[in-house]
Amino acid sequence: MHKPIIEDQITSLHDLSATDLIAGYRAKQFSPSEVLEEVIAHVAAWEPHIKALYLYDPDGARTAAKASTDRWQLGEPVGTLDGVPVTIKDNIATRGQPIPLGAASVKQVPAEKDAPPAARLRESGAIIFSKTTMPDYGMLSSGLSSFHPLTRNPWDLSKNPGGSSSGAGAAGAAGYGPLHLGSDIGGSVRLPACWCGLVALKPSLGRVPIDPPYVGRVAGPMTRTVDDAALMMCVLSKPDRRDGMSLPADSINWKAHDKSPRKLRIGLMLDAGTGQALESEVRSIVIKAAKAFESAGAVVTEVDGILTREMVEGLDNFWRARMWDDLTKLSPEERGKALPYIHTWAEAGARLSGVDVVRGFNATMAIRAAAAKLFCELDYVISPVSPVVNFPAEFASPINDPDKPFEHICFTVPWNMSENPALSINGGYDRNGFPIGVQIVGRRFDDLGVLGMAKAFEGLRGAQRPWPMPPKA
């Protein structure tokens, strides 16, 4: 039973969780229209500084919120998320709106239909008030884009929010309502969640139907709490036949995600096997998280990472060739509009042989085999999300070198290729108060268990710092 909200305890409606909003609507303590107006006011205070939104539509949202308010007055909500403000990433199709993929080189063609995740959110009554920004083609862990303005991190405007779900991460940290939808093919919901202090679940491949589907590509929730991520999964995981890689419909009770770590076998991974060196403050936070689980009765054992240099270079070759294939379909003028970093990185794909590219793709199978072997003896793995605390807002990646594009995703990308569920949750802060994420990885299809472990960690880690306030004008 959800505890009733006491009116004098409410500081800001835009800061309430989705679960609290639904409880408040049901109790008629406030309405979707009132909540939306607070979100709109908060966007006005923050957006000039962080530039997280695309196709922001406050008037359309007001109309949808009024309809939701009327439904709640009658006690007839249309679905699980009726009246809850939501943003959706640029690359997830919403009917009648273009899908620029964060790139000035992409033609602006309105989508004919909602993609499956957007359709499920709309059907549930969620108030979709804006899309969110992303870098070119989703191929950067950054808020840098040739199409969108530079997106900045609310915790420190000089820092990057991460990507490719950059706007979603920044919007979540800034308090643009409780629910944000991102996508992830190598870390793209978990990395911005790590650097923005959020919870983000990369589900098992196919758990959330998506269109177009691709190897390792998933859509997932980005929220402030584990309960809200689970609430989104109640909606997002519903079936859609457009995704030929989706899992069969399953009657998972996403709200029943409480879990005890007692006697569970947890691997502590502090070395990805390759990639950037782990910064000391990140290491300390992850070790602290592992000790918290150990104190709750888990059996924690340090384990080696599963990536090799050959695997990372293989993935790099495969993705360069795939990106270059996309760019060569454009005219020279259109191609020239892409972010120079992306163009330089992808162009090297033109010099690869077919064998090089096939070997690169085969790295996904090698990663999958290594992950399966690891989880033969473990229930969960805890690791960093990112090896670094943060990096400059203007950089395309922490190293900012197109010849070394994947050094920072060695803790995240394996789980896309292996299809394991993986979640980022804030583990603590550096000496300056900047958030540092901890990653929890489970066996394939154990998405509910990963949420349960994250819920347990919320109770173990203690109080969090207040969310950042908008800068004074």
Side-chain angles (χ1 to χ4, degrees):
M1 191 68 143
H2 201 285
K3 293 181 180 179
I5 300 165
I6 300 171
E7 192 167 348
D8 62 8
Q9 289 179 345
I10 297 173
T11 53
S12 300
L13 293 176
H14 66 78
D15 272 333
L16 290 180
S17 69
T19 53
D20 281 341
L21 289 181
I22 294 298
Y25 296 158
R26 185 172 290 114
K28 295 184 170 55
Q29 292 177 306
F30 44 78
S31 71
S33 291
E34 291 172 307
V35 170
L36 180 67
E37 289 305 322
E38 282 217 10
V39 170
I40 289 171
H42 205 58
V43 168
W46 262 117
E47 190 60 10
H49 306 283
I50 62 173
K51 307 292 185 184
L53 301 184
Y54 168 60
L55 296 179
Y56 177 44
D57 182 17
D59 290 337
R62 285 185 172 110
T63 300
K66 175 61 169 61
S68 178
T69 295
D70 292 344
R71 291 192 294 271
W72 278 108
Q73 285 297 318
L74 295 171
E76 299 175 352
V78 73
T80 304
L81 300 177
D82 203 341
V84 179
V86 174
T87 70
I88 295 179
K89 188 177 177 180
D90 156 345
N91 67 338
I92 297 172
T94 46
R95 65 174 181 260
Q97 296 179 321
I99 314 167
L101 305 178
S105 51
V106 173
K107 293 178 182 178
Q108 301 300 292
V109 180
E112 293 183 5
K113 297 179 180 179
D114 286 338
R120 299 296 85 76
L121 290 169
R122 202 184 299 276
E123 292 163 3
S124 76
I127 309 300
I128 302 170
F129 67 93
S130 187
K131 303 294 284 287
T132 50
T133 61
M134 63 181 284
D136 290 46
Y137 300 96
M139 293 309 298
L140 295 177
S141 303
S142 172
L144 185 64
S145 163
S146 63
F147 180 81
H148 299 296
L150 178 66
T151 303
R152 295 179 179 272
N153 193 314
W155 288 93
D156 182 339
L157 297 179
S158 73
K159 303 303 181 186
N160 212 294
S164 64
S165 304
S166 48
Y176 291 10
L179 305 183
H180 307 274
L181 178 67
S183 66
D184 190 314
I185 203 168
S188 291
V189 298
R190 289 160 291 158
L191 287 163
C194 166
W195 290 315
C196 293
L198 302 177
V199 173
L201 174 65
K202 180 210 78 67
S204 299
L205 184 72
R207 180 69 73 199
V208 174
I210 195 167
D211 184 30
Y214 199 73
V215 175
R217 183 173 186 250
V218 302
M222 300 177 68
T223 64
R224 287 184 170 187
T225 69
V226 175
D227 284 349
D228 276 4
L231 188 65
M232 279 189 86
M233 288 300 292
C234 292
V235 171
L236 296 174
S237 62
K238 292 179 179 179
D240 194 301
R241 291 182 179 177
R242 287 176 286 174
D243 184 353
M245 298 171 71
S246 62
L247 298 174
D250 202 327
S251 57
I252 296 172
N253 183 359
W254 293 101
K255 294 181 181 179
H257 55 275
D258 287 340
K259 190 179 187 76
S260 170
R262 190 168 180 271
K263 295 186 178 180
L264 292 177
R265 300 167 300 173
I266 297 177
L268 171 60
M269 185 182 291
L270 296 171
D271 184 344
T274 188
Q276 270 183 277
L278 190 61
E279 292 183 356
S280 61
E281 289 184 286
V282 178
R283 176 184 292 271
S284 296
I285 290 293
V286 177
I287 290 174
K288 183 179 178 182
K291 287 181 177 178
F293 278 115
E294 199 168 42
S295 71
V299 179
V300 179
T301 306
E302 192 163 347
V303 296
D304 294 330
I306 62 173
L307 276 192
T308 65
R309 175 50 45 182
E310 183 180 19
M311 290 172 180
V312 173
E313 291 178 356
L315 290 177
D316 187 9
N317 285 343
F318 173 69
W319 288 108
R320 284 179 195 254
R322 182 177 183 270
M323 187 74 256
W324 187 243
D325 175 54
D326 287 342
L327 291 178
T328 55
K329 294 171 184 175
L330 305 176
S331 69
E333 182 182 0
E334 291 169 331
R335 195 159 59 241
K337 294 178 181 178
L339 202 66
Y341 181 105
I342 289 292
H343 191 281
T344 299
W345 169 70
E347 193 172 24
R351 298 189 290 273
L352 297 170
S353 70
V355 172
D356 290 332
V357 178
V358 169
R359 284 176 179 162
F361 180 78
N362 285 343
T364 64
M365 296 296 101
I367 293 168
R368 188 184 184 109
K373 182 179 179 180
L374 178 69
F375 276 94
C376 283
E377 303 298 330
L378 297 172
D379 298 304
Y380 298 95
V381 168
I382 294 173
S383 80
V385 181
S386 160
V388 302
V389 174
N390 54 42
F391 64 105
E394 297 79 10
F395 278 20
S397 68
I399 292 180
N400 204 35
D401 181 352
D403 288 333
K404 299 178 180 179
F406 291 172
E407 302 303 300
H408 63 289
I409 65 171
C410 292
F411 284 106
T412 53
V413 72
W415 317 117
N416 294 81
M417 302 302 106
S418 66
E419 304 182 10
N420 293 61
L423 178 145
S424 175
I425 185 169
N426 189 45
Y429 305 86
D430 78 345
R431 65 177 69 90
N432 297 314
F434 197 88
I436 297 173
V438 171
Q439 183 172 233
I440 302 171
V441 187
R443 291 173 174 167
R444 286 179 70 212
F445 314 133
D446 186 23
D447 305 68
L448 188 64
V450 167
L451 284 167
M453 291 293 284
K455 179 68 174 177
F457 181 64
E458 275 186 331
L460 293 168
R461 75 182 172 189
Q464 297 290 279
R465 291 174 182 261
W467 291 93
M469 296 296 292
K472 294 180 180 180

